[in-house]
Amino acid sequence: MPASDPRDLRPPQKTAPPWARMLLAAVLGAAALWWYWEPPTEPPAQPDNTPAAAAPAAPAASAAPPAGSASSPQHPIEAPKAALPALADADTHVADALAELLGRGPVQSLLLTDGFVRRVVTTVDNLPRASAPARLWPVQPTPQRFAVQGEGEAAVIAPANAGRYGALLSFAEAAPLERAVQLYASLYPLFQQAYEELGYPGRYFNDRLVAVLDHLQQAPEPQGPLAVRLLEVRGEMADPRPWVRWEFADPQLQSLSAGQKMLVRMGPANEKRAKILLARLHRLLATGVAPAPAAPR
């Protein structure tokens, strides 16, 4: 019996790639962005709150982690002074820290705090690749669907689709970014451990995060209606979720990384807003981050 994929943290759900939530997740734990475009359906897996990590398949050159190592990081994070729980036992500690920053309600409604650190690390590492499975994201699923108008070769992303991102981007823009990055620094040893367990011993997670943010900012900004086509899947049973199979008709757009495609699908106005947030986050993480001072006891 073949071993299950240790990255498969949760069974597939009715999701939509939330850029803004993922930006928040990235800020609060590693990086966050991307929503509202569901990836192709994948085989279900058994839930695992503290999944073991394993080495991923060798990435393409453009998706390779940065050259910096844990001993000589390009973008170091100042070590926190406060003790942290073990990674396998850190969910409650991380959830409480997020709730203190954002409020218990938003954390419970937006984020998936079981295995949160590993979810963030895996998602950040996947964004420059061809696929970033939604079941591994550190965010709650949303019932909203990707909207298309027209049929056949005339199918394009519906203009109304961009409206689904406004509230989420506004939420991300209002988030206390500097404090969130300080929280990330305070929890950084957990992210570093999760990254090494993912298959990168001697690599530095913050270097990977900075490189991924830079990669996302290079996404193209095409104008006008974007043509899409429905990926054909042959079978006797009807697909209960056909909206997950839309892809760009333009081969150049379809060849973009998972993260860049998510940004393009948001629409040009939203993509520009998202890139402003990415640039702020990139600047904070690339210039050195110190953990938040410990609260007086």
Side-chain angles (χ1 to χ4, degrees), residues 8-11 44-48:
D8 199 347
L9 312 186
R10 292 176 65 88
Q46 297 301 318
D48 185 352

Side-chain angles (χ1 to χ4, degrees), residues 45-84:
Q46 297 301 318
D48 185 352
N49 289 348
T50 55
S62 61
S69 69
S71 59
S72 58
Q74 296 176 343
H75 307 288
I77 299 290
E78 182 179 324
K81 295 180 174 60
L84 292 171

Side-chain angles (χ1 to χ4, degrees), residues 74-158:
Q74 296 176 343
H75 307 288
I77 299 290
E78 182 179 324
K81 295 180 174 60
L84 292 171
L87 178 59
D89 303 320
D91 284 358
T92 299
H93 178 85
V94 172
D96 288 344
L98 293 172
E100 184 177 353
L101 178 70
L102 297 173
R104 186 73 60 181
V107 168
Q108 292 177 344
S109 64
L110 295 179
L111 305 180
L112 289 168
T113 56
D114 61 305
F116 181 82
V117 169
R118 285 193 174 102
R119 289 178 181 276
V120 169
V121 168
T122 300
T123 298
V124 168
D125 188 57
N126 281 338
L127 287 170
R129 304 175 190 274
S131 175
R135 69 180 183 276
L136 306 182
W137 292 346
V139 296
Q140 293 283 1
T142 173
Q144 295 170 300
R145 300 178 183 178
F146 179 73
V148 172
Q149 68 180 27
E151 298 181 357
E153 294 184 358
V156 296
I157 298 177

